[in-house]
Amino acid sequence: MSSVSSQPQFRYTQPPSKVLHLRNLPWECTEEELIELGKPFGTVVNTKCNVGANRNQAFIEFEDLNQAIQMISYYASSSEPAQVRGKTVYLQYSNRQEIVNNKTTADVVGNVLLVTVEGEDARMVSIDVLHLVFSAFGFVHKITTFEKTAGYQALVQFSDEETATSAKNALDGRSIPRYLLAEQVGQCSLKITYSAHTDLTVKFQSHRSRDYTNPYLPIAPSAIDSTGQVAVGVDGKKMEPESNVLLASIENMQYAVTLDVLHMVFAAFGDVQKIAMFDKNGGLQALIQYKDVQTAVVAKEALEGHCIYDGGFCKLHITYSRHTDLSIKVNNDRSRDYTMPNPPVPMPQQPGQNPYTGNPQQYHAAGGSHQQQQPPQGGWVQPGGQGSMGMGGGGHNPYMAPPSSSSMHYGPGGHMPPQHYGGPGPMH
């Protein structure tokens, strides 16, 4: 193998030792991986991982010298190099006879933790996500984030050593829960040690630092957008400029979401003036315009993260749009102006424009057609007037009972999708 022979796998200048020095390891190689590599040759009694500026070196110590010699001899004569995660590992005897794990400041128990977020998308993990993760173990006083050669890191301050230790023991080496990360962010894990700090200095609330004990701390200039609106509130949470127009992105579309379906969902919170649907980044998005900002705020807070259909289908992610008045030139199955008393005649549908063309069971809301101008009947409330989200199952079932057959939406191939979410009642 040319890639192996281009760099010598062994150095013979050191006399044999039961401690071996390993180079070219994958970033953040674990102790378990090192033990597994040495297991065929004997008992690994100690390891020292993530050594060097690039954290790609390590030491392993065998129980006796012969075991270390056996490992070196095997790979010196083998055509297959030592590998960890597919990477060739270079071996040599260490100049030390044992691994001494000196106690450093990282081992001294304290109330501040040094957290390294590991993963390709580590820098996309927000300070709010870190706060959610560590708040599960007690009140978090302060968080500061920064980037160093070790990667994306954070200092997390608790009130006492016991709380910090509890968080460290539970989270060190664990992955951040998938549901806390944005869809485009890959898996990220946490490496945690103690910090020598005892009280962090936070001068501004920003996307990089938060002081949760002082909600009146000044807002950093970088946290204020170009319109002059504060993007981080006094509670340290990011704020969006509010608008009367919402941008809805829909994921996990196992069933069709038509304009009528969107109108039924969003009209539950107030009069919808206009809707425009479009495809972007391989998914469906829509702009929904209300007459005022207050109605849009209520709808956004109620609908964000919830699904249109039972079973987790057609999940809504909602943000505020920079638009304030949508320009709808024609009413069709992708755009609608509900304020126009005499809408223009829809343009003829082009082949391939509607992915559901030709399906004998079209996606009509409440039995209506795509040209129906009145809001669909029934909304999310079950015929007969029964409650809202969270009514069923003693308050634990967020879905309504199935609506009547006249208001069902039919899915691809004529299959009936699950019932809609409940009405605009309390969300759970």
Side-chain angles (χ1 to χ4, degrees), residues 18 35 137 186 190 197 200 211 219 288 342-343 371:
K18 62 181 180 179
I35 293 175
F137 300 89
L190 303 173
H197 294 280
L200 304 178
D211 184 345
I219 307 299
I288 298 96
N342 297 306
Q371 285 71 43

Side-chain angles (χ1 to χ4, degrees), residues 27-272:
W27 192 71
E28 295 295 311
C29 181
T30 65
E31 181 181 31
E32 290 75 14
E33 289 174 311
L34 296 178
I35 293 175
E36 191 66 25
L37 183 64
K39 186 184 295 185
F41 307 98
T43 303
V44 176
V45 295
N46 206 350
T47 65
K48 190 174 184 69
C49 307
N50 307 313
V51 178
N54 295 323
R55 306 175 69 85
N56 63 348
Q57 302 180 46
F59 294 93
I60 61 173
E61 179 182 343
F62 282 98
E63 191 172 34
D64 62 56
L65 179 62
N66 289 332
Q67 294 171 350
I69 294 174
Q70 184 179 357
M71 183 173 185
I72 289 288
S73 300
Y74 174 83
Y75 284 114
S77 59
S78 174
S79 59
E80 294 295 328
Q83 290 188 338
V84 174
R85 293 188 224 159
K87 287 194 67 175
T88 298
V89 178
Y90 302 105
L91 312 173
Q92 68 184 80
Y93 293 117
S94 172
N95 58 7
R96 64 183 75 184
Q97 295 301 311
E98 65 176 339
I99 296 175
V100 179
N101 292 319
N102 295 323
K103 195 168 187 179
T104 65
T105 55
D107 300 310
V108 177
V109 176
N111 66 310
V112 178
L113 300 177
L114 173 62
V115 181
T116 302
V117 184
E118 302 174 346
E120 292 183 1
D121 299 324
R123 288 165 179 80
M124 298 177 67
V125 176
S126 70
I127 196 170
D128 292 321
V129 169
L130 294 175
H131 182 252
L132 282 171
V133 171
F134 285 89
S135 291
F137 300 89
F139 178 67
V140 174
H141 285 221
K142 303 173 185 178
I143 300 179
T144 62
T145 63
F146 48 91
E147 294 185 30
K148 287 197 172 181
T149 53
Y152 179 59
Q153 295 184 306
L155 290 168
V156 181
Q157 178 179 331
F158 287 99
S159 57
D160 52 64
E161 297 176 357
E162 290 76 16
T163 308
T165 300
S166 176
K168 178 182 181 296
N169 292 340
L171 296 174
D172 187 22
R174 301 288 296 274
S175 295
I176 297 175
R178 177 69 258 176
Y179 66 87
L180 291 180
L181 300 174
E183 182 181 3
Q184 69 273 18
V185 178
Q187 182 176 355
C188 296
S189 57
L190 303 173
K191 183 183 177 75
I192 305 174
T193 59
Y194 293 107
S195 169
H197 294 280
T198 56
D199 188 20
L200 304 178
T201 300
V202 177
K203 296 181 179 179
F204 298 99
Q205 306 282 23
S206 74
H207 67 291
R208 286 290 199 176
S209 61
R210 301 283 170 83
D211 184 345
Y212 300 97
T213 66
N214 184 6
Y216 303 106
L217 202 64
I219 307 299
S222 61
I224 301 178
D225 66 16
S226 58
T227 64
Q229 298 195 49
V230 175
V232 177
V234 294
D235 60 354
K237 294 185 178 180
K238 185 177 179 181
M239 295 174 59
E240 298 177 88
E242 294 175 349
S243 170
N244 66 312
V245 178
L246 300 177
L247 172 62
S249 301
I250 304 167
E251 65 177 38
N252 194 20
M253 283 188 56
Q254 298 295 319
Y255 301 99
V257 175
T258 64
L259 190 143
D260 289 328
V261 169
L262 287 175
H263 185 272
M264 177 181 290
V265 171
F266 285 88
F269 300 90
D271 291 335
V272 173

Side-chain angles (χ1 to χ4, degrees), residues 373-395:
Q373 297 307 306
Q374 295 299 320
Q377 299 297 314
W380 290 349
V381 181
Q382 178 188 4
Q386 277 191 337
S388 56
M389 281 192 185
M391 287 294 291

